Structure formats: structure tokens, C-alpha cells
Amino acid sequence: MAPVLPATASAAPAARRRGRAAYVLLLPGMTWLAVFFAIPFVTLFMTSLQQPVPGKSGKYAFGLEFGNYVTSMTEYWPQFVRSFAYAGIATLLALLIAYPLAYFIAFKGGRWRSLLLVLVIAPSFASFLLRTYAWRTILADDGPITSTLNALHLLPDGRVLNTGIAVVAGLTYNFLPFMILPLYAALEKIDHRLIEAAGDLYASASTAFRKVTWPLSMPGVVAGTLLTFIPAAGDYINAELLGSTKDRMIGNAIQTNFIEFRDYPTASALSFVLMAAILILVFTYIRRAGTEELV
Amino acid sequence: MGARPVEDLHLVSLTKAFGDMVAVDDLTLTIPAGSFFALLGASGCGKTTTLRMIAGLEDPTSGSIRIGEQDVTGLKAYRRPVNTVFQSYALFPHLDIFENVAFGLRRRRVKNIKPKVNAMLELVQLGPMARRKPSQLSGGQQQRVAVARALINEPDVLLLDEPLGALDLKLRRQMQIELKRIQTEVGTTFVHVTHDQEEAMTMADTVAVMNAGRIEQLGHPAEIYELPRSAFVANFLGQSNLIEGQRQDDGDMVTVVAHGVAFRLLRSRNAAAGGSVIVGVRPEKITVVDAADAARVPDGHNQVAGTVTDVSYSGVSTQYLIRARWGQELIVFEQNVIVGDRCDVGDEVVMHWAPEHSFGLDGSQDVYAGVEPAVLELEAAQ
Ligand SMILES: Nc1ncnc2c1ncn2[C@@H]1O[C@H](COP(=O)(O)OP(=O)(O)O)[C@@H](O)[C@H]1O
Ligand SMILES: [Mg+2]
């Protein structure tokens, strides 16, 4: 080690003071996390292990009832599967719709960019519930969409409303801005000269897209799909308003257990399983997408 | 490298207008195969636009581009036997150096890429960097990757858009030598765009001086320097003393009278058709003697008496500013071959030079064309 110079020694207390200042600045954030994340997390976990108090319905006491987890998985696995399937399809659809849109705004938007972005989020100014409810009208049995699709014999059940299709449509619509915005942010950063360079190096327009634009937009794709998939997988409003009882998602199961059955332990266990499943999916996904390879 | 015959590049009446702005104006020129061609001009004169049209990144408003017998004007960029080293390098940030260099080969489905890429990385001395990302390289190294990435495709023509612009002076000098070495080794036609006249002169076989979308003069660097054919070239490529006068009488030499002084120049070195002529002479061609020694001036030399107004010593040479009787300041470079024999500010002197070192330009031009704006401001302030 280098010899310690007097200057270093006298500078040390100042550095320590600065270090302490950093911790003080972290305090509000840490408190927030403790109060609104760590404590509820532990409480929820403890609730998920509670046992019913015999003779008193709706009352639960401390316990180590891992059976709640068994129930939540054996009884509710169809809802889990449906949640991930619906959320997955909706995410894919949102990506297909959002990518060209974000691409257009970022590369061709010119001075209209900001306006176009505002238009993307403008629907969010109206209530989520209201907008989802509006889809009941859009997809109504005698509405233009359903009639057209029926005329083309594209609907097996003869209707859209109260089917899985309606739920997926609602999810896609509701979470679309969460897909568009990160995609736009990633695409907007791409230096146009890189695409020219690809053209100069014998890449056709489509090859230049595959080899340059798409990989460089990957951070936006990953962020967008996560921001869409995670809330969509846990959503219950769309299934509630647009689906039938056969199209219920895990969010609905948690909601009914909590609000209607007042079976807090099962609801908590379901929440925990959902959280774990999402975490596993997300980590696998991020590893596969290899975003750490990107700049 | 390529056993394929290299072809000349022809630009024929090439024009590009952006709205009312004519960026490139009726450019016609031939760039011989295998030459190192420099396109020299001030910022905004249309150099990049010219290159982009050759590369196929910009469509010409009119005119055509041929490589050998093949008309490439309508070809898409990815179908042209031309590659570009971009002004900002434009390396792919998500690919490592190897993949950046291999990009063009992969697109053309060339077999057995690895030895080719490695050989190219050796050529630009970046062998050990193959698996790094562009962001992990210095400016000079990135520059060489950009050259390697373009050159590996064995293009008929390599276009370089101010490739050294982002480097510091020392690295620039080093890379100039490096680029010249690479060009000699591969024998590809290099079209090198620069606004640095020294860079153009030291590197190129042929220099084209471009001004406001047109080529002012084209030729070997020494040829253009010794005999500029316009005031812009005389000022932009090195420095010149330009004196406006009237043609008097023609013997075997042209005599021009300016401010009561007669200047003689060779007929072959006079570009002026009319009676109004600008007499020019390069600063290093002038010899300065003390006014008392005026008798020592050789017979037949052009001479101007004046007062020294500024002396700046730079080791190799000394630069004098000398005010002629009519108020114009002339610039003189004198090599410091004799120690201690220098003029001082205020000295009365006589400048003289051989008639064959004068050149004549058309008198209708602005004598300040092509002078750096900073120099003009300085003169205005004095
Ligand atoms: N895409 C464009 N749209 C409008 N004007 C342009 C465009 N590209 C270049 N120009 C104009 O054309 C002129 C020449 O530009 P450029 O070829 O880039 O010059 P240089 O490379 O010599 O500095 C400039 O005045 C520039 O403003
Ligand atoms: Mg330029």
C-alpha cells in the first residue's frame, strides 16, 4: 500500500461526514420501503399461513398452515394458467401493435413527436374502469365488430363479449401505453447513421432492421413487455367486466377470496404464488433476452 | 488483396439541391483507380453530400455516377461496390469489434470469415481487441475499426468522411501516416474528405479544392500549391499575397502595374484573360533585404518596399508582416538558416522574388476569398 500522507489523514473525517450525509439522504426512501413494502410483505406472508379459528367463520389465527398453498395451487391452477396465457397473448399483441407505432413516432414523427406521444397517453386521463366498461359497448353482441366478425364466420361462439377474446382485447388495450413508451424511448435513442452504415455494408432495409434496429431496441422491448405482462397477469378488472365466469383470472380469485369469502389466508397464499411465478418468469425471460449484453 | 481490376470513378454533372440550396453544383470529375484522392473544402461546401451520393445514401438531383463502365446512379447503397468510413465512425455499439468488421462479409454470405477478419484486424493493428465492444476503445482505435469494417469488403472505392476530424493533433498525424500505409498496401481508391489543407496535401496524390458546391481546382498537391488558378485556392491552400493591378504591356512576360509598382510574371502562369489581374506570390518565395541593401536585389526580380510591422519567430522559420507603401500588409516566411540575422519591427526593408514565382489570377475575384474568417477579423481590427 502507498504510505499514508498527512493530507489523507486530515481528509478522512470529512469523507466520513460525507458518507454519513449519504445515509441520511437514503433515510426517507428506506423508511418508505420498510413501511410500505417490507412490513406488508411479512404481514401478508404470515396471513397466508393462518388457520381458521374453529366455530368462528371469517376469523383466522396465527399458524403454519402450508395447506393454504396446496389449496391455492390445486384449486386455482386453471386461473393461474389462464392469467399467464391471457397476459402473454395480450403482451405479444401489444408488442405487435406498439412497435410499428413507436417506430413511426421515433423515426418519422419529426416535430409532431411530442403531440403523438401525448395522444398515446391521452386515453389514460379517463378512468381505467370507465375505459374498460366502454369495451362492453364496443364488443357488444349487436355491435359492428361482432356483427362483422360473425358475417365472416370467424367467431366459434357467435360473440366476443363475455369470452376470453374480449378479456385479451381489454388487457391489450389497457396496457398498450406501457409498451409504447419504453419502446419509443429505446428507438428514439438509436443513431440513424448506424442504419445508414448497415446499408453501406450490404444490409437491405429488412436486414438492417433485424441486425441493428431490433437489437438496439431490445432494452425497450424488455422493459415494455415486463411493464405490460406483470400488471396484466395480476389484473382482474378486464376479466370481471369483459369475460364470463369461465374466463376468470387469478386476480379475480384473489379478489373474491378477499372481498367475498373473507378467506384471507387463501387470498394471501394466492398472492404469494402469483408473485413467485411472475418473478421466476421474469428472471428466466431477462436471462434469455440477454439484456446485460446490451450497451 | 483483390485480384479484381479496380475501376475509375466518374462523376458526371452531379448536382444535389436541398430545396433552394444547391449543395453540390454540376460536379464533373474522374477519380483514377487506385489513387488517394482528397476532397478539400471549408465546412458546408458540399463534401459530405458528394460522398453520400457516391455511397448511395443520397439521391442526386441530376447527373450520374459511374464506376468503370457501370452506371451506379440508381443503385441502392447496399448494391454498390463502395464502402464508407463515416465522420462519426457509426460503429455498431451492440456488436464487438470482430462482428463489426465481419458485418459486411456476413451480409454477403462470404464463407470462411474468421481468417479474413483476423487478417484485417492485423492490418489495422487491432488483433487483440477483437472481442471488445466499440465503447471500450479509444478514438484512434475506433477510427481504425471503422476503416477495417469498410475495407474488408474490398470495395472499388473507399469513401472517408473527415475520418480524422475527431482525433487530437498528434493522433491525427499518426493516423495520416497509417491510412496512407493501408492505402498503399491494399491499392483501393480512397476518396478522403477533409477541411484540413495540410492533411489533404500530405496524404493525397490528387487534391480537389471544393468551394460552394463546385470544384475550384484539381491536381497534384504541389501543382495546385505552386500555381493556384483562383483567389480561393490561393488563400485556402496555404497562404498567398494577392495584389490587385492592371495589365500593362506584354512581352515575353506579362507586366502588371499595381499601386505604381510593376510586377512581372510568366505568361504561362497568368490565368487572367482581361486587363485586370491579381498578382500572387507565396510567402516563402519572398526574400527580405534591408532598404540600405536594395542594390543587392537581383535584376529582373519583382520588388516591393515596406516597413516591418510584425515579427513572429517559430523555430524553423520566422513570419514577417510587412506593410507596403500603399498600406497592404504582405506576409513573408523566412527560413532561419542564419542565426541572429533578423529584421525588427519598424525596419525599412525591400521584399523581392523571382518573376517565375508570381502567378496571375483573374482580377474580378475577391482577394479575400477562402481566407479564414478569424484572419479577416484580425486584419479589420488593425
Ligand atoms: N439533408 C439536408 N437537408 C438540407 N440541407 C442539407 C442537408 N444536408 C446538407 N445540407 C446542406 O448542404 C450544404 C453542404 O453540406 P455538407 O455536404 O454536409 O457539407 P460539408 O460536408 O462540406 O461540411 C450545407 O449548407 C448543408 O447545410
Ligand atoms: Mg461534412
Side-chain angles (χ1 to χ4, degrees):
Chain A
M1 271 203 56
V4 179
L5 300 169
T8 329
S10 70
R16 213 173 300 138
R17 231 174 295 129
R18 263 202 306 280
R20 228 176 286 142
Y23 286 117
V24 172
L25 285 173
L26 270 177
L27 211 61
M30 298 306 270
T31 316
W32 173 276
L33 272 181
V35 174
F36 295 106
F37 180 72
I39 297 172
F41 190 84
V42 173
T43 319
L44 191 70
F45 185 64
M46 291 188 28
T47 311
S48 76
L49 296 175
Q50 281 176 348
Q51 301 164 319
V53 177
K56 288 187 177 174
S57 83
K59 287 277 179 230
Y60 298 90
F62 175 81
L64 285 174
E65 186 51 76
F66 287 96
N68 293 335
Y69 281 89
V70 177
T71 323
S72 62
M73 288 204 266
T74 48
E75 264 181 49
Y76 290 101
W77 68 264
Q79 277 92 330
F80 272 113
V81 171
R82 210 175 287 128
S83 287
F84 291 125
Y86 285 179
I89 297 169
T91 305
L92 206 66
L93 287 174
L95 180 64
L96 288 175
I97 297 168
Y99 203 99
L101 201 64
Y103 186 95
F104 177 83
I105 299 175
F107 290 156
K108 316 271 174 193
R111 60 205 181 90
W112 301 105
R113 275 185 188 186
S114 316
L115 180 70
L116 291 168
L117 283 177
V118 170
L119 288 179
V120 164
I121 43 172
S124 315
F125 295 146
S127 133
F128 181 82
L129 211 59
L130 214 64
R131 280 180 292 135
T132 311
Y133 214 84
W135 274 80
R136 292 189 62 86
T137 316
I138 298 172
L139 300 175
D141 290 346
D142 50 2
I145 292 181
T146 309
S147 322
T148 313
L149 290 175
N150 265 329
L152 296 168
H153 304 286
L154 285 173
L155 296 174
D157 305 338
R159 61 184 311 200
V160 178
L161 195 61
N162 295 338
T163 66
I165 301 173
V167 180
V168 171
L171 288 171
T172 308
Y173 162 77
N174 274 314
F175 296 108
L176 195 60
F178 299 103
M179 183 66 93
I180 295 174
L181 294 179
L183 278 177
Y184 169 81
L187 285 166
E188 192 261 345
K189 275 203 305 230
I190 297 177
D191 185 349
H192 205 76
R193 286 169 298 194
L194 296 176
I195 298 159
E196 282 191 341
D200 188 66
L201 295 164
Y202 312 105
S204 61
S206 65
T207 314
F209 175 78
R210 273 190 304 116
K211 294 294 173 184
V212 179
T213 313
W214 174 257
L216 287 176
S217 67
M218 238 11 230
V221 174
V222 171
T225 45
L226 291 181
L227 284 177
T228 309
F229 181 81
I230 297 172
D235 182 76
Y236 69 95
I237 303 268
N238 285 280
E240 176 83 38
L241 295 183
L242 303 173
S244 71
T245 44
K246 294 203 301 287
D247 309 310
R248 293 290 184 255
M249 293 167 67
I250 199 63
N252 305 93
I254 296 172
Q255 191 243 7
T256 31
N257 270 296
F258 236 105
I259 311 277
E260 285 175 34
F261 307 159
R262 296 177 184 254
D263 183 352
Y264 305 126
T266 306
S268 308
L270 283 170
S271 303
F272 255 92
V273 175
L274 178 65
M275 203 166 4
I278 287 178
L279 276 177
I280 292 166
L281 279 174
V282 165
F283 275 112
T284 322
Y285 173 62
I286 290 179
R287 293 202 75 138
R288 288 285 304 275
T291 33
E292 68 274 12
E293 276 292 298
L294 297 168
V295 184
Chain B
M1 288 183 83
R4 197 163 37 105
V6 192
E7 310 256 30
D8 292 355
L9 170 68
H10 306 273
L11 309 184
V12 185
S13 302
L14 201 59
T15 301
K16 177 73 189 184
F18 296 106
D20 290 342
M21 233 289 295
V22 181
V24 175
D25 192 1
D26 196 26
L27 204 68
T28 299
L29 77 112
T30 294
I31 298 172
S35 66
F36 198 121
F37 187 93
L39 201 53
L40 171 69
S43 178
C45 74
K47 307 181 297 292
T48 297
T49 308
T50 307
L51 277 201
R52 287 173 61 83
M53 285 192 285
I54 301 173
L57 299 172
E58 201 88 69
D59 288 326
T61 310
S62 64
S64 67
I65 301 161
R66 278 192 296 120
I67 295 172
E69 290 308 307
Q70 191 196 5
D71 190 322
V72 299
T73 320
L75 283 189
K76 288 245 190 273
Y78 64 89
R79 298 203 185 281
R80 293 191 191 197
V82 169
N83 290 105
T84 309
V85 176
F86 289 86
Q87 199 159 2
S88 52
Y89 313 146
L91 300 180
F92 302 122
H94 59 300
L95 301 177
D96 64 21
I97 301 312
F98 185 96
E99 285 305 322
N100 262 281
V101 175
F103 194 92
L105 298 182
R106 291 210 193 282
R107 299 293 79 73
R108 288 183 302 151
R109 312 198 184 288
V110 172
K111 299 259 166 2
N112 204 10
I113 284 178
K114 207 165 176 209
K116 291 198 178 83
V117 174
N118 286 333
M120 185 47 72
L121 288 175
E122 282 314 314
L123 180 73
V124 297
Q125 300 168 349
L126 284 175
M129 306 288 172
R131 290 299 164 200
R132 298 224 190 147
K133 287 287 175 68
S135 57
Q136 294 168 297
L137 263 54
S138 71
Q141 291 169 333
Q142 291 184 14
Q143 209 279 325
R144 280 181 287 179
V145 177
V147 172
R149 186 180 70 170
L151 211 50
I152 196 165
N153 303 294
E154 300 181 22
D156 283 348
V157 181
L158 184 73
L159 306 173
L160 302 105
D161 192 357
E162 310 215 9
L164 310 178
L167 307 179
D168 61 50
L169 192 67
K170 201 165 163 215
L171 204 52
R172 267 176 97 99
R173 295 279 171 267
Q174 211 176 312
M175 283 305 300
Q176 286 172 4
I177 296 165
E178 186 81 342
L179 272 182
K180 186 75 191 158
R181 173 183 71 79
I182 293 170
Q183 197 266 338
T184 317
E185 214 163 310
V186 297
T188 307
T189 312
F190 275 37
V191 180
H192 181 111
V193 158
T194 178
H195 64 259
D196 179 345
Q197 47 105 7
E198 200 176 326
E199 184 173 302
M201 285 204 283
T202 50
M203 298 179 80
D205 313 321
T206 310
V207 176
V209 183
M210 201 169 172
N211 181 26
R214 292 172 160 276
I215 300 277
E216 290 254 342
Q217 194 173 347
L218 182 152
H220 186 271
E223 190 183 311
I224 305 186
Y225 182 81
E226 296 301 341
L227 190 55
R229 293 343 287 260
S230 74
F232 180 87
V233 175
N235 290 322
F236 193 77
L237 202 73
Q239 286 172 291
S240 292
N241 294 297
L242 300 180
I243 304 160
E244 291 177 279
Q246 292 298 320
R247 193 164 170 158
Q248 283 286 296
D249 51 17
D250 288 5
D252 45 344
M253 291 226 174
V254 175
T255 303
V256 176
V257 175
H259 313 286
V261 181
F263 296 94
R264 297 194 316 140
L265 57 135
L266 296 176
R267 187 182 296 280
S268 61
R269 290 175 61 87
N270 180 24
S276 168
V277 181
I278 296 169
V279 176
V281 61
R282 293 291 190 181
E284 75 282 359
K285 302 291 193 295
I286 302 177
T287 311
V288 180
V289 297
D290 211 83
D293 299 331
R296 280 198 350 224
V297 174
D299 270 356
H301 269 209
N302 294 320
Q303 49 178 302
V304 175
T307 314
V308 177
T309 55
D310 188 63
V311 181
S312 44
Y313 176 81
S314 70
V316 180
S317 63
T318 303
Q319 176 190 307
Y320 296 105
L321 285 183
I322 299 171
R323 194 186 300 282
R325 295 283 171 263
W326 62 87
Q328 183 179 356
E329 260 178 350
L330 302 186
I331 180 168
V332 178
F333 297 147
E334 201 170 66
Q335 285 228 328
N336 293 326
V337 277
I338 305 163
V339 179
D341 178 38
R342 265 182 290 138
C343 302
D344 288 320
V345 173
D347 284 2
E348 295 295 322
V349 295
V350 172
M351 297 167 269
H352 66 91
W353 66 90
E356 50 278 16
H357 286 151
S358 306
F359 50 84
L361 305 172
D362 193 283
S364 61
Q365 306 169 72
D366 174 11
V367 293
Y368 291 109
V371 178
E372 280 177 60
V375 176
L376 279 181
E377 272 169 37
L378 209 72
E379 285 190 8
Q382 280 178 358

